Every structure is written in structure tokens, then in C-alpha cells.
Amino acid sequence: MKNISVLASGNGTNLQAILDAIESGRIRGARLVLVISDNKEAFALERAKKHGIPAIHIDPKNYASREDFDREAVARLREAGTDLVVLAGFMRVVTPYFVRSFPRRIMNIHPALLPCFPGAHAVEDALEYGVKVAGCTVHFVDEGVDTGPIILQEALPVREDDTPETLRERIHVLEHRLYPRAISLWLQNKITILGRRCLIDE
Ligand code: GRF
């Protein structure tokens, strides 16, 4: 049995999708042991509590640097016996200290087809650029911003009348399928990282 911890800053619909996938058996061999948020108001914390999962707020204001914040987060993750760290709408860039603490054991989901449109405004940037195809990416986290090896991607067509809100909503539907799938592949040891490439043994 592997222990998964989730870091989230907001609504937590991806966290919910992962919780549901564990409860329905679509993700097997893992339990959620901890949810951490940097935002006291994050609904993700409520979602975790509703499922009886320890949920904590770490307040960035109490730490002098990003690394100090990450040291606290890593300590909590280790205490919980975390095997896999899942970033799900976590709006902070993690430091190299964090990445090195869980080598190749941190995943992130991003609402664009990386390497296009990294950063915090991916959906707006894609629409503004005028792309005809959008999508989402699950990747391992390395020391760059949205640059780690890609595990899974899924695409969808952009509609003429899309707004950031409508496009984001359809991307979310894909994300809720893709993230549990990526986690499940990891749990089954079906992902081999070869340089930048993740080979998937399906
Ligand atoms: C998702 O779109 C994810 O790709 C991005 O942040 C959003 C989080 O949404 N990293 P939610 O909090 O899981 O609903």
C-alpha cells in the first residue's frame, strides 16, 4: 500500500477526482494520507476533512523564504510516510529542496499541452494565442516551472465561442480522468523515465 499526499491551493476538484477514484477502486494500492494547502480558505481542505483525511494549512506568512516553507511541507509529508506527492492546483513554485526531497515522486497537472503555455495563466494564454487545440498534461516535477517529463496528455478542440471559463471547464473534465490514470500507472510501476521521456507500459 502506497501513501499519497496532495498539495492544493484552491477548489480541489482534482483532489476530489483522486479521492473518488480511490474510493471506487479505479486507483488501487494507495491511500490518501495528507492534504496540505498554503491557503486557509482552500475548499480542498474541506473536501479532505469530509473524507476523514488529515488536512493542514501551512501559512506562507510564517516563513522567511520559499525554502523555509518547503522545509516545513517536506517535514509534514515525511511524517505522514508519503510515497507520492501530487500537486493539484498548488499555486506555489516548489524549490529545488522540495524536488530533491522526493526525486521523481512528485506529479503535477497543468491545464495546457506542455511545453506550450507553462505558468499560472495557461488557459488564458492559449486562448489569446489562438490555438485550435488545447488540453492538459500530467508530468513529473523537476526544478523548472512545468518542465518535467510528461506522463500523459489529452487534447480537446477549442470552440469559436470559448471563453477562459468555458475552456477551463472542459479541460477540467479531462483532468479528472487523466490524473487518476497517471497515478494508477505509477502505482502499478508502469512508468519508466528515460531522459525526458516517460515510457508507459499499458
Ligand atoms: C487545474 O486546472 C490544474 O490543471 C491547475 O490548477 C487547476 C486546479 O483545479 N494546476 P482544482 O483546484 O483541482 O479544481
Side-chain angles (χ1 to χ4, degrees):
M1 186 63 84
K2 298 282 188 196
N3 292 335
I4 298 176
S5 294
V6 173
L7 274 68
S9 302
N11 189 356
T13 63
N14 279 287
L15 165 67
Q16 189 67 52
I18 294 163
L19 278 165
D20 293 345
I22 290 175
E23 283 178 6
S24 70
R26 276 174 296 130
I27 292 179
R28 285 166 196 267
R31 59 183 163 224
L32 263 180
V33 291
L34 181 63
V35 172
I36 295 178
S37 184
D38 58 329
N39 169 16
K40 199 163 121 230
E41 308 300 328
F43 191 56
L45 292 173
E46 297 309 313
R47 293 182 192 269
K49 286 179 197 153
K50 260 187 224 153
H51 288 255
I53 291 152
I56 57 172
H57 168 229
I58 303 180
D59 191 344
K61 286 204 292 286
N62 295 338
Y63 301 88
S65 66
R66 288 198 303 128
E67 185 166 316
D68 284 352
F69 176 96
D70 281 5
R71 282 186 187 277
E72 175 66 15
V74 166
R76 297 303 196 98
L77 291 166
R78 286 196 174 132
E79 250 167 51
T82 304
D83 296 300
L84 178 68
V85 179
V86 170
L87 307 184
F90 187 58
M91 298 311 284
R92 293 171 70 83
V93 176
V94 293
T95 58
Y97 171 79
F98 190 99
V99 176
R100 288 174 202 160
S101 300
F102 293 95
R104 295 300 191 227
R105 287 188 294 135
I106 310 168
M107 283 186 191
N108 182 42
I109 190 153
H110 183 74
L113 295 171
L114 291 170
C116 291
F117 312 117
H121 309 288
V123 177
E124 289 81 357
D125 293 347
L127 256 187
E128 207 167 291
Y129 195 91
V131 295
K132 300 293 186 191
V133 176
C136 58
T137 304
V138 179
H139 63 92
F140 286 110
V141 172
D142 66 8
E143 293 183 20
V145 176
D146 300 325
T147 51
I150 291 170
I151 303 167
L152 294 174
Q153 289 188 303
E154 207 169 323
L156 52 68
V158 175
R159 294 180 188 153
E160 304 277 292
D161 59 352
D162 260 329
T163 61
E165 291 68 36
T166 60
L167 184 55
R168 187 173 294 112
E169 204 178 306
R170 295 208 310 291
I171 290 173
H172 257 116
V173 175
L174 296 188
E175 290 186 345
H176 298 159
R177 258 203 322 260
L178 211 65
Y179 222 172
R181 227 181 98 212
I183 292 168
S184 179
L185 288 169
W186 184 85
L187 288 166
Q188 296 171 77
N189 278 319
K190 289 189 169 175
I191 308 174
T192 307
I193 308 176
L194 266 188
R196 279 212 50 85
R197 297 181 70 199
C198 289
L199 305 183
I200 310 290
D201 171 22
E202 282 202 270

